[in-house]
Amino acid sequence: MAEDDFATVARTTTLAPGEMMYVEVGDEPVCLINLDGAFYAISDICTHEEASLSDGEITGDEIECPLHGGAFEIRTGQPVSFPVVVPVETFRVRVVGDEVQVVRTGS
Ligand code: FES
């Protein structure tokens, strides 16, 4: 993986623990999450229908979709609550200095 596959999307101070925000990595809509001080990135689009997960809610280590209440495990993207049954895509995240950088998994 090339170094420039990573894109800076936020500062570490942008999100407090328990907060999330919509960002874009290339053309990809991504939901960036600060979970207990660690940053995670998942696709912003729910795998059930067309809903923006960054408009949802964080409960524990899960993110709940705002449209039908389905939920995903933030660290893995695995579905944990109906009606979502398909995992949401996850993205690698790294922190360099005070920059939060995201790369698409597998690229
Ligand atoms: S669109 Fe997310 S649960 Fe239905």
Side-chain angles (χ1 to χ4, degrees), residues 39-50:
F39 289 91
Y40 295 90
I42 60 175
S43 172
D44 191 56
I45 306 299
C46 186
T47 58
H48 179 231
E49 286 181 13
E50 196 86 5

Side-chain angles (χ1 to χ4, degrees), residues 6-17:
F6 283 91
T8 298
V9 294
R11 303 280 175 192
T12 53
T13 53
T14 306
L15 290 177

Side-chain angles (χ1 to χ4, degrees), residues 46 48-49 51 65 67-70 83-84:
C46 186
H48 179 231
E49 286 181 13
C65 177
L67 197 51
H68 306 112
V84 294

